[in-house]
Amino acid sequence: MSKQFRVLIAKPGLDGHDRGAKVVARALRDAGMEVIYTGLRQTPEMIVEAALQEDVDAVGLSILSGAHMTLVPRVLEGLREAGLEDVKVFVGGIIPDEDAEALKEMGVVEIFGPGTSTQTIVEAFHRHLAGG
Amino acid sequence: MDLVEKALAGDRRALARLLSLVEDDSPQAQEALAVLHPHTGRAHIVGVTGAPGTGKSTLVNELAKRLRARGTTVGIVAVDPTSPFTGGAILGDRVRMRDLAGDPGIFIRSMATRGSLGGLARATGDAVKVLDAVGFQTILVETVGVGQAEVDVARTAHTVVVVEAPGLGDDVQALKAGLLEIADILVVNKADRPGAGQTALALEATLGLGWNNSNAADGWRPPILKTVALDGTGVEAVVEAIDAHRAFLQQSGLWVQKEQERVRADLMQALHREMLDRLIEQVGEAEIDRWVGRIVAREVDVYTAVESLLERPE
């Protein structure tokens, strides 16, 4: 068997819409990954701490509140400070194109907008994780 | 073993990496565990088990908060099931453990069962050893939501808390063998719901019967405690019962006896795996497949095949 990938799916910020995060968690599970699901209203600090304790390969952030330009950089920075710069960060949610560009420059590997199929998401996770 | 030294010095990233090595059954894990072994044996290992939805994670969260309030450091290993079809898993116990974030005296690790059927993962025992070695004083081991017979936690933990909830079955359920027999402490959670009193009474009656014969030699009668883990009602009494059980084990000499039983089970399991691995390596998968074919074709039976496989010359 190949390496068992571990992924953290988290919802930072205050919006309560976790359907998307749950669907993605389930899709990744069905793709054979171990998905640590942390639930709603996570602070960037909580997400970094969970990523460290669970020794995950990737973090998926679901943000529908519009606060992505504040929350995502704080997660990225926290991961770097914790020595977790090799953890791949994915973002899903309603992210305008110019913000998406900026977030990718900061180190987010992939951004999924509304209507992205779970198939696309699973493939992207596989591609980035297998690439090391 | 740089990683081990770092983890022993309190580096949490190194600790997390060590736990992954143990989980992935990597060759480095064996070396690490060998170095860590002299540091183990200090923690009080407390198992928390029960049916799905009885409130195990919520109770673990509340127990950890109270243990922390008095200065005890807490390691948590929370196990959830692996899908038998895809090998994937959703590990969701952290959802109920939000209160514990940001506390350096706590370390939470989620584990998937990866095919093990006894309520824990194969590597859970080794993960507990790692947390014990780096100095966590109490280690809470939360099993998957179990049925009636997943009792592996009894071999891993010093103290087993079985969590029940009202409305899960009549008093015949309480009479059955298995889960209830491994309880050192029984918790009826969701005690604000109708039927909690009845559940407690049914457990009390069953325990009364059992205690008169099998468990009497131990001298420990499992207390039945009602809690509402969601708001913390009654949880302090569970912490006190956990303390009391530890004191009881130590005073009665059962602590040492349990340790010996645990090590024996551990040794047997390791021997079992190692011997099987070596045998398969020696005879080869193809040979195993050949015997499977012969058994399916009704040429030989399983036991004859085993005899032949074990008698092969080196």
Side-chain angles (χ1 to χ4, degrees):
Chain A
M1 211 175 85
S2 57
K3 178 185 169 358
Q4 179 66 60
F5 290 121
R6 286 168 67 87
V7 175
L8 183 80
I9 296 293
K11 264 202 71 64
L14 296 176
D15 77 275
H17 306 284
D18 60 352
R19 173 74 70 85
K22 283 180 175 156
V23 169
V24 169
R26 171 69 197 262
L28 294 172
R29 185 204 86 168
D30 289 344
M33 298 182 195
E34 290 179 0
V35 182
I36 293 103
Y37 184 76
T38 62
L40 292 167
R41 290 184 257 293
Q42 300 281 306
T43 65
E45 292 74 26
M46 288 162 88
I47 292 168
V48 170
E49 186 185 22
L52 184 140
Q53 293 180 357
E54 302 289 356
D55 193 28
V56 293
D57 304 290
V59 172
L61 302 172
S62 168
I63 308 176
L64 297 163
S65 64
H68 47 269
M69 293 309 282
T70 347
L71 294 169
V72 177
R74 281 174 59 198
V75 172
L76 290 169
E77 198 180 315
L79 288 172
R80 266 193 290 273
E81 278 168 16
L84 301 172
E85 54 280 328
D86 51 337
V87 173
K88 307 274 193 287
V89 177
F90 299 77
V91 175
I94 303 163
I95 316 285
D97 288 346
E98 60 269 31
D99 290 354
E101 273 314 305
L103 290 176
K104 279 196 168 177
E105 269 167 36
M106 289 177 209
V108 173
V109 297
E110 205 91 44
I111 290 166
F112 309 113
T116 311
S117 73
T118 53
Q119 180 69 24
T120 306
I121 295 172
V122 166
E123 280 169 11
F125 269 81
H126 267 310
R127 193 168 59 245
H128 286 283
L129 292 181
Chain B
M1 274 306 343
D2 195 23
L3 214 49
V4 172
E5 274 165 35
K6 279 188 185 168
L8 285 173
D11 182 333
R12 293 161 76 83
R13 170 104 173 98
L15 170 58
R17 290 290 309 136
L18 269 184
L19 291 170
S20 295
L21 291 178
V22 161
E23 237 196 322
D24 293 338
D25 201 15
S26 95
Q28 293 140 277
Q30 283 190 13
E31 290 170 39
L33 286 168
V35 181
L36 289 171
H37 183 67
H39 300 275
T40 61
R42 290 173 297 177
H44 184 194
I45 305 162
V46 179
V48 178
T49 190
T54 47
K56 292 181 295 298
S57 301
T58 312
L59 183 67
V60 165
N61 180 51
E62 289 296 320
L63 288 173
K65 272 201 306 200
R66 279 165 181 74
L67 289 166
R68 286 301 296 138
R70 66 178 200 199
T72 305
T73 54
V74 182
I76 298 173
V77 181
V79 187
D80 268 330
T82 294
S83 159
F85 301 109
T86 67
I90 300 274
L91 311 176
D93 293 315
R94 292 188 88 98
V95 174
R96 315 260 177 255
M97 299 180 192
R98 298 169 45 95
D99 298 346
L100 309 178
D103 180 348
I106 287 199
F107 195 99
I108 308 170
R109 183 63 175 240
S110 313
M111 282 183 114
T113 53
R114 298 192 182 177
S116 291
L117 296 176
L120 299 177
R122 178 200 54 76
T124 303
D126 286 342
V128 167
K129 283 178 208 158
V130 174
L131 290 167
D132 180 358
V134 304
F136 287 97
Q137 292 165 309
T138 296
I139 299 168
L140 301 173
V141 180
E142 181 190 336
T143 71
V144 299
V146 299
Q148 293 165 325
E150 295 96 327
V151 294
D152 278 1
V153 70
R155 280 197 291 272
T156 302
H158 297 110
T159 301
V160 175
V161 179
V162 173
V163 187
E164 298 271 345
L168 291 179
D170 60 15
D171 50 359
V172 181
Q173 295 302 331
L175 283 172
K176 291 182 181 173
L179 201 53
L180 284 185
E181 290 177 289
I182 65 164
D184 299 307
I185 297 163
L186 272 160
V187 170
V188 178
N189 191 33
K190 308 191 185 187
D192 53 341
R193 299 210 178 164
Q198 240 174 340
T199 302
L201 277 177
L203 292 173
E204 183 73 51
T206 310
L207 223 52
L209 292 171
W211 195 66
N212 287 332
N213 42 64
S214 61
N215 299 347
D218 279 7
W220 172 264
R221 178 168 182 153
I224 299 170
L225 305 169
K226 289 194 226 169
T227 60
V228 184
L230 213 51
D231 65 13
T233 305
V235 177
E236 193 59 45
V238 181
V239 174
E240 283 163 19
I242 289 170
D243 284 342
H245 188 248
R246 178 190 193 145
F248 163 77
L249 288 178
Q250 285 171 336
Q251 281 154 20
S252 63
L254 280 169
W255 183 275
V256 177
Q257 192 185 320
K258 276 201 170 197
E259 172 84 3
Q260 277 169 348
E261 285 167 15
R262 199 151 49 88
V263 168
R264 173 175 291 274
D266 214 19
L267 179 62
M268 288 303 148
Q269 199 183 12
L271 266 175
H272 189 249
R273 284 183 51 213
E274 192 61 30
M275 288 175 75
L276 188 63
D277 287 352
R278 285 186 190 186
L279 179 79
I280 289 174
E281 198 177 317
Q282 197 189 329
V283 303
E285 292 281 356
E287 182 67 3
I288 302 277
D289 287 343
R290 198 175 67 82
W291 282 99
V292 169
R294 294 194 63 196
I295 297 164
V296 171
R298 302 299 189 272
E299 289 172 26
V300 293
D301 75 310
V302 169
Y303 297 105
T304 312
V306 167
E307 281 301 319
S308 307
L309 279 164
L310 290 177
E311 276 167 14
R312 287 169 53 91
E314 291 287 319

